[in-house]
Amino acid sequence: MKEFTHLIDLDDFDLDFIERLITLGADIAVNTKRYSSACFGKVLATLFYEPSTRTQMSFQTAMLRLGGTLIGFDNPETSSVAKGENLKDTTKIVSSYADIMVMRNPVEGSAKAAAISSDCPIINAGDGGHLHPTQTLTDLLTIRMEKGHCDNLTIGICGDLKFGRTTHSLCKTLSKYKGNKFIFISAPELMMPDYIKDIIKANGGTYTEKYSLEEAVPELDMLYMTRIQRERFTDANQQLAANFNLTCDIMKLAKPDLIVMHPLPRVDEIELKVDDDPRAKYFIQAKYGVYVRMALILEVLKNDHPVKLLTKGFGSYDCTNPKCVTQREKYLPHSFHRKGDVLVCDFCEAVTLP
Ligand code: CP
């Protein structure tokens, strides 16, 4: 297993590294042309096993604006995956063509599984309901550019907080900044999981839960809206859970310097007329995604922060998560680390009882 600066999980990096990326992204946003040949001769592979507009195209734009070139697929059915090729072989081959690989895959833990057999750095562009770290980097650069700082903010997170991988990564990272207060706004069935709340508390942050946008909005410096992820629902109560809708009337209750963000795609959780409010930042947010991904490509190619992938402990146990990559790619080692009384899968982070 070769060592690279893979971006599988932002937790693999300290806040100094993340801040360096955001600062570089902010410079690239202002001085984009200065970086136009920084990746001359380099090849980026984008392997998208799941639909994407922003993540895929912003990575492609990022590499092209750095002077590099692209290979890849956006539909596995047009690659040899359709003939049954496993993740290991696909990764091994593509990493011998490319200098850096970006992958989105619906299977949880698949980015880490790809990194094990890769001969180049892997960037996780979303692995099922698990993680989406480059969305968090996009969000952080947006907050830096639009608020000037990522600390001492009252942050509303609204929508499907149970299945929304972007909200999990964002809360984990923003809780590392000092003085941030979180207000979670959702239906009880779709509230933020306890393990994220525990991380916020452990990092010294605070949170409250509310079931009404009208009640929460007046306090907020930033409101992060998300769509309801019906495709990931597992029971009927979740199907019935109330949708939240940000309207112009609710915006009248908000501070004049509120910023409204959304990872997009939007379904119906933000009224279209809100787009004309100068506090709506979700379209510029998607554009900041190009600049922060340019910064990320440059930092990853430096390869000076190798990431440890597996602990290889407790190999006789099976991960109990049916969506874990170890259930699909049977050649993978079973690798866990202990957390208190339980075992945590090194791929998908699901908990298994020993
Ligand atoms: N925000 C985001 O991940 O968008 P896409 O699914 O379009 O990439």
Side-chain angles (χ1 to χ4, degrees), residues 48 51-56 104 125 132 135 165-166 263-265 293:
F48 276 67
S52 166
T53 299
R54 279 146 291 274
T55 311
Q56 185 188 20
R104 172 173 287 185
H132 190 358
Q135 181 63 48
R165 60 190 171 193
T166 59
L264 304 177
R293 288 178 173 110

Side-chain angles (χ1 to χ4, degrees), residues 5-220:
T5 307
H6 302 289
L7 177 58
I8 311 295
D9 182 348
L10 275 183
D11 281 352
D12 293 329
F13 300 93
D14 60 23
L15 200 52
D16 285 348
F17 180 84
I18 293 169
E19 275 288 292
R20 205 167 78 213
L21 275 177
I22 302 306
T23 302
L24 179 58
D27 187 62
I28 293 172
V30 179
N31 301 301
T32 315
K33 288 210 169 112
R34 268 193 214 157
Y35 296 85
S36 62
S37 55
C39 283
F40 179 75
K42 299 287 183 192
V43 177
L44 173 84
T46 53
L47 304 191
F48 276 67
Y49 293 73
E50 250 195 348
S52 166
T53 299
R54 279 146 291 274
T55 311
Q56 185 188 20
M57 290 194 207
S58 63
F59 264 116
Q60 292 172 339
T61 307
M63 193 50 155
L64 292 172
R65 291 210 187 283
L66 290 167
T69 49
L70 306 170
I71 59 170
F73 58 74
D74 58 11
N75 178 357
E77 291 303 310
T78 62
S79 77
S80 285
V81 175
K83 302 173 200 162
E85 185 165 68
N86 66 24
L87 187 61
K88 179 180 182 204
D89 292 359
T90 303
T91 308
K92 189 80 189 161
I93 299 304
V94 177
S95 67
S96 72
Y97 302 155
D99 299 286
I100 181 167
M101 196 187 316
V102 176
M103 192 178 82
R104 172 173 287 185
N105 192 308
V107 182
E108 296 179 8
S110 50
K112 187 167 281 192
I116 288 171
S117 49
S118 178
D119 291 322
C120 75
I122 298 277
I123 296 177
N124 183 2
D127 58 340
H130 183 217
L131 297 168
H132 190 358
T134 68
Q135 181 63 48
T136 300
L137 294 175
T138 300
D139 301 339
L140 293 176
L141 179 60
T142 306
I143 298 168
R144 168 83 80 83
M145 297 297 279
E146 298 297 331
K147 297 298 290 183
H149 55 94
C150 294
D151 54 4
N152 295 306
L153 297 167
T154 300
I155 297 158
I157 311 275
C158 178
D160 180 352
L161 311 186
K162 186 177 171 74
F163 295 102
R165 60 190 171 193
T166 59
T167 66
H168 301 171
S169 293
L170 182 62
C171 291
K172 275 164 61 174
T173 309
L174 277 175
S175 69
K176 293 179 183 169
Y177 289 84
K178 285 202 170 60
N180 284 333
K181 290 190 264 183
F182 296 87
I183 301 181
F184 299 135
I185 308 142
S186 190
E189 298 84 357
L190 297 175
M191 242 327 153
M192 191 60 82
D194 286 343
Y195 87 95
I196 299 290
K197 297 179 197 164
D198 291 343
I199 291 170
I200 290 172
K201 279 192 277 184
N203 287 338
T206 58
Y207 69 85
T208 52
E209 295 179 339
K210 293 192 192 283
Y211 305 105
S212 143
L213 252 178
E214 287 88 335
E215 197 191 326
V217 152
E219 294 178 54
L220 303 178

